[in-house]
Amino acid sequence: MKSLTINASQRESVGKKATKALRNAGQVPCVIYGGDTIVHFSAPEIAFKNLVYTPDVHTVVIALDNGTKINAILQDIQFHPVTDRILHIDFVEIFDDKPITIELPFRTTGNSRGVRNGGVLRFNLRRIKVKGLATKLPDFIEGDITNLKIGNKLYVTDVASEDFTILHPDNTVICMVKTSRTAVDEEEDEDEEETEGGDAPAAEAPAAEA
């Protein structure tokens, strides 16, 4: 999984007045949980641009001004209801030997047969919740939709891996190919393929002369 480094300053004052002063100065108050102690820090709002405003998932190295570096992952984020500015971020410290729970983005590979025949690919999940060691988690989860015909579904069990545990019921659908008004019947399509690949029809014999 990709990692980002955020240069930050550890906070000593954590009251409402100090927090308001940080925000007015363009800083985002943050907290790291999960370690031996809770760590309060702040960083410029622009420092979180590549972490927050992206479909990708990253681990984060919080580089504090006292020389301490903490490996973490974003847990929760609060935005201003009007301006959408970042108000607060919670992180969880991660360790090489302790699994974490995270939602990884899902991407498809292949060209669905059902879509080629006019069907529409519909997604039930854009992110898949998994649990595993941060060092073994991928940047995203891929699923091959090549063989999906109209009406077929791709389940979470189809993208299972030894590197992580999927935290959804086995019957959870990731995506499916739904029919549409322009869809071609699958059986007709198969017949056409067989005809195209078969032997050419024999030429008619010339008529006998009288």
Side-chain angles (χ1 to χ4, degrees), residues 3-181:
S3 179
L4 295 175
T5 297
I6 293 177
N7 296 314
S9 301
Q10 191 162 0
R11 292 192 293 149
E12 299 299 336
S13 301
V14 294
K16 290 184 179 180
K17 187 175 181 180
T19 299
K20 184 177 180 180
L22 282 173
R23 291 181 180 137
N24 289 338
Q27 300 281 314
V28 177
C30 305
V31 180
I32 305 176
Y33 299 99
D36 295 333
T37 59
I38 296 176
V39 178
H40 297 267
F41 72 93
S42 64
E45 186 173 3
I46 194 172
F48 301 100
K49 178 181 178 181
N50 293 330
L51 175 65
V52 176
Y53 303 107
T54 174
D56 299 328
V57 177
H58 300 83
T59 57
V60 184
V61 177
I62 307 297
L64 299 175
D65 51 2
N66 62 5
T68 303
K69 292 185 177 182
I70 302 174
N71 293 318
I73 194 163
L74 192 152
Q75 178 74 13
D76 188 37
I77 185 168
Q78 297 175 19
F79 294 95
H80 191 283
V82 177
T83 65
D84 276 340
R85 290 189 62 185
I86 302 173
L87 295 178
H88 183 86
I89 301 180
D90 289 340
F91 291 88
V92 174
E93 187 171 357
I94 58 177
F95 303 89
D96 290 342
D97 59 344
K98 292 183 180 180
I100 61 173
T101 298
I102 189 173
E103 289 187 342
L104 296 176
F106 173 75
R107 298 181 184 178
T108 61
T109 61
N111 188 2
S112 165
R113 178 172 183 169
V115 173
R116 294 199 308 270
N117 287 335
V120 180
L121 185 65
R122 300 290 188 188
F123 286 88
N124 288 358
L125 291 179
R126 291 286 186 176
R127 288 176 175 260
I128 299 176
K129 194 173 186 178
V130 302
K131 185 176 183 179
L133 297 177
T135 54
K136 290 189 175 183
L137 292 178
D139 294 330
F140 52 85
I141 296 175
E142 286 187 335
D144 187 0
I145 62 170
T146 302
N147 295 323
L148 290 187
K149 298 180 181 180
I150 294 175
N152 288 168
K153 302 174 182 179
L154 188 76
Y155 295 90
V156 291
T157 50
D158 296 322
V159 296
S161 170
E162 295 180 354
D163 293 334
F164 52 78
T165 300
I166 296 177
L167 301 180
H168 295 277
D170 289 349
N171 62 349
T172 301
V173 176
I174 301 175
C175 60
M176 69 176 296
V177 180
K178 301 193 73 173
T179 190
S180 69
R181 286 180 295 179

